[in-house]
Amino acid sequence: MKPAIRVDNLSKRYRLGTSKSAGYRTLRETVTESAAGAWHGLRRRLGGSANGNGSAKDDAFWALKDVSFEVQPGEVVGIIGRNGAGKSTLLKILSRIVEPTDGRCEVRGRMASLLEVGTGFHPELTGRENIYMNGSILGMSRKEIGRKFDEIVAFSEIEQFLDTPVKRYSSGMYVRLAFAVAAHMEPEILIVDEVLAVGDLAFQQKCLKHMRSLTRRGMTIMLVSHNMAAIQSCCQQAMFLERGQLMAEGGTVEIIDQYRSSQLGNKDPDTVAVKGVEGISIVGFEMFGEDGEPTREIQFGEEIRIRIDVHAETRVERPLINFGITRGDGVIICNFNNWYDNVELDFLEGECTLEGWLPSIRLIPDYYQIHVLVWNWGGGHTHGDMEGSMPLAAVTFGHFQVSGPTLNAHDGVFQIPAKKWRFIRQNDPKMLFETESENRLQHIC
């Protein structure tokens, strides 16, 4: 089977500080370049140089450099990397918006691209008119657009504003309509950039669900996103770009792990302190694995011990000391503290240490951020105003990593065994199994 997309040694070079185009030049660019040429000629005749140091400065920037890969029909591939890694440039070349400097790419099949909000829309035309115009640009016939018109409008949720010029639309309305047209074109290949981040959460979930339905129909999709949860839930394969080069490609979980590892580096985790009450400071944190050794790499299901060191120049009565875990997208996963467990500490003064033995960590494999805080007893929990309450001290202690079985976002954030299970076979009432504190059913009847 021939690949749907094939890229061989693809490279794209730009020149910084210029807006030269291989296709055309504006009058302003022509006049400016003519004047610059005359100035350079005069400088050379006077024995000088264009940039004042005797040599022409090379401002070449390689947005992509020798990138090669194949995407098979029906595959859903996520492209990840930092800003400026070359992700959008790659999609623009595949979409025939930008020509490569070197190399070549082959795309087999009808393709639709959604790269920027409102691409192909005319601001003075209404939503209705832009559906027909944008659909035609994407290669749909007027008859095909008419047949799918009601579905496009229903998906975009802009029926009330259908006959309003799109220049009055919000960015969210723009992207809803643009995605609805592109998705209902039913292409063989769909290319989607980070544009989905413009919509609200409900619309993003709707788009991801729709893309999953498209994959079940055998559509090939390339998706660029900084949302690792979206990449992990939608894509079977992923590619990691860094500074215009393809660093790795393969299974989604593996590539995301490599990307995150490269971002965090091998250095010790940074600590970031938040200003709290003067004289109260968190001076240390350590995490220990089941072997008793300090670690930031935890296995799925492993029990850990934590140690928090606090210095109090002034006495603090009934402190609350908290260890919290936050996911990469900012979602607070869980917290452990003495207040939750009704363990009252009398006071803090001088050098103090709190240790905690925690249950098995059944977080799905990922990177998680560590937060340690000191509050007064109850903190802001007692009156439900956490945002309006200030901790006495707060420190972020870098990250720790959880590794283990191939779970992903579909499995939830963490896995904790049930306290009790009961199983009854309906056609045999004597067969009763139940268990407590063990993951093994026991026959009790």
Side-chain angles (χ1 to χ4, degrees):
M1 181 184 297
K2 292 184 177 180
I5 299 173
R6 182 176 179 179
V7 171
D8 292 317
N9 300 316
L10 199 65
S11 298
K12 179 61 181 178
R13 182 183 63 190
Y14 291 102
R15 290 202 173 274
L16 301 179
T18 65
S19 57
K20 295 179 182 178
S21 171
Y24 67 89
R25 291 177 180 169
T26 65
L27 176 61
R28 177 180 178 180
E29 289 172 341
T30 303
V31 172
T32 302
E33 290 174 12
S34 298
W39 166 246
H40 290 321
L42 177 61
R43 292 282 296 179
R44 283 194 297 270
R45 287 194 295 274
L46 294 175
S49 64
N51 59 14
N53 60 8
S55 62
K57 184 179 180 181
D58 184 8
D59 288 330
F61 168 72
W62 290 92
L64 291 174
K65 188 66 173 176
D66 298 327
V67 173
S68 300
F69 63 87
E70 291 184 355
V71 178
Q72 300 304 319
E75 280 190 337
V76 184
V77 180
I79 306 176
I80 61 178
R82 300 173 63 184
N83 290 328
K87 306 183 298 297
S88 295
T89 299
L90 174 60
L91 295 194
K92 287 178 180 179
I93 292 175
L94 293 176
S95 303
R96 301 289 191 265
I97 295 173
V98 172
E99 289 293 321
T101 304
D102 293 308
R104 61 196 297 263
C105 63
E106 298 177 9
V107 178
R108 295 184 177 91
R110 186 185 189 190
M111 181 173 64
S113 302
L114 187 57
L115 304 183
E116 295 179 7
V117 177
T119 300
F121 279 19
H122 193 292
E124 299 296 335
L125 299 181
T126 65
R128 183 188 303 275
E129 293 164 337
N130 270 295
I131 290 175
Y132 280 95
M133 185 184 75
N134 192 240
S136 299
I137 292 173
L138 292 175
M140 300 170 71
S141 66
R142 185 174 182 84
K143 183 177 180 181
E144 183 181 5
I145 298 171
R147 189 174 72 251
K148 300 176 181 177
F149 185 85
D150 290 342
E151 293 179 44
I152 293 172
V153 174
F155 189 92
S156 64
E157 301 174 359
I158 57 123
E159 185 174 6
Q160 182 180 356
F161 308 96
L162 193 58
D163 294 306
T164 300
V166 298
K167 67 180 181 181
R168 298 176 186 167
Y169 284 13
S170 67
S171 60
M173 294 167 66
Y174 248 95
V175 74
R176 290 205 301 269
L177 186 57
F179 183 86
V181 175
H184 286 82
M185 172 187 168
E186 294 186 1
E188 295 170 280
I189 301 170
L190 179 63
I191 293 178
V192 184
D193 205 343
E194 188 68 66
V195 64
L196 293 182
V198 179
D200 57 29
L201 180 61
F203 179 71
Q204 290 178 36
Q205 294 295 325
K206 185 177 183 178
C207 290
L208 293 174
K209 182 178 179 181
H210 186 71
M211 282 197 289
R212 283 193 285 268
S213 72
L214 295 177
T215 63
R216 289 193 289 269
R217 303 177 204 170
M219 185 180 296
T220 305
I221 299 178
M222 294 195 73
L223 170 66
V224 165
S225 179
H226 289 284
N227 185 338
M228 295 300 105
I231 293 289
Q232 195 166 327
S233 65
C234 285
C235 306
Q236 303 106 347
Q237 300 288 314
M239 296 188 298
F240 168 28
L241 290 179
E242 181 69 28
R243 297 180 181 176
Q245 295 183 311
L246 181 59
M247 305 303 293
E249 59 178 322
T252 304
V253 174
E254 174 189 353
I255 299 304
I256 289 177
D257 185 57
Q258 290 188 39
Y259 167 61
R260 284 176 166 154
S261 296
S262 73
Q263 301 309 298
L264 295 175
N266 296 320
K267 64 182 186 302
D268 292 334
D270 296 329
T271 58
V272 180
V274 177
K275 184 175 176 58
V277 174
E278 187 174 354
I280 309 299
S281 56
I282 300 162
V283 295
F285 171 84
E286 198 59 80
M287 178 184 292
F288 303 88
E290 290 183 346
D291 59 3
E293 296 297 321
T295 184
R296 293 295 174 91
E297 297 183 3
I298 306 299
Q299 290 296 314
F300 175 87
E302 184 174 0
E303 294 185 0
I304 65 170
R305 175 170 59 93
I306 59 170
R307 186 182 69 211
I308 301 170
D309 297 317
V310 180
H311 176 74
E313 294 182 8
T314 57
R315 181 168 170 141
V316 177
E317 302 289 342
R318 303 177 71 205
L320 181 161
I321 303 178
N322 183 89
F323 161 66
I325 300 174
T326 304
R327 201 168 60 186
D329 58 2
V331 174
I332 299 172
I333 303 303
C334 62
N335 286 279
F336 297 93
N337 61 57
N338 57 298
W339 182 75
Y340 283 167
D341 298 333
N342 199 30
V343 176
E344 188 170 335
L345 308 177
D346 50 3
F347 62 89
L348 288 178
E349 191 170 25
E351 305 294 335
C352 302
T353 296
L354 176 68
E355 289 188 288
W357 283 258
L358 307 184
S360 62
I361 299 295
R362 297 178 68 89
L363 293 166
I364 67 171
D366 206 338
Y367 287 90
Y368 298 90
Q369 199 166 52
I370 300 163
H371 299 284
V372 179
L373 303 97
V374 177
W375 299 80
N376 287 314
W377 182 258
H381 302 272
T382 53
H383 45 80
D385 184 22
M386 293 298 296
E387 297 297 328
S389 302
M390 289 295 294
L392 303 177
V395 177
T396 298
F397 285 93
H399 293 76
F400 73 95
Q401 179 185 3
V402 175
S403 57
T406 55
L407 301 175
N408 57 44
H410 292 291
D411 300 299
V413 176
F414 59 87
Q415 297 288 318
I416 296 179
K419 290 290 186 181
K420 183 174 181 177
W421 292 99
R422 171 170 289 185
F423 172 71
I424 300 174
R425 189 174 290 120
Q426 297 295 333
N427 60 0
D428 188 353
K430 293 183 179 181
M431 298 296 292
L432 176 61
F433 294 84
E434 69 176 29
T435 180
E436 290 188 47
S437 72
E438 290 186 6
N439 294 326
R440 184 178 70 253
L441 291 174
Q442 296 178 344
H443 183 202
I444 61 175
C445 289

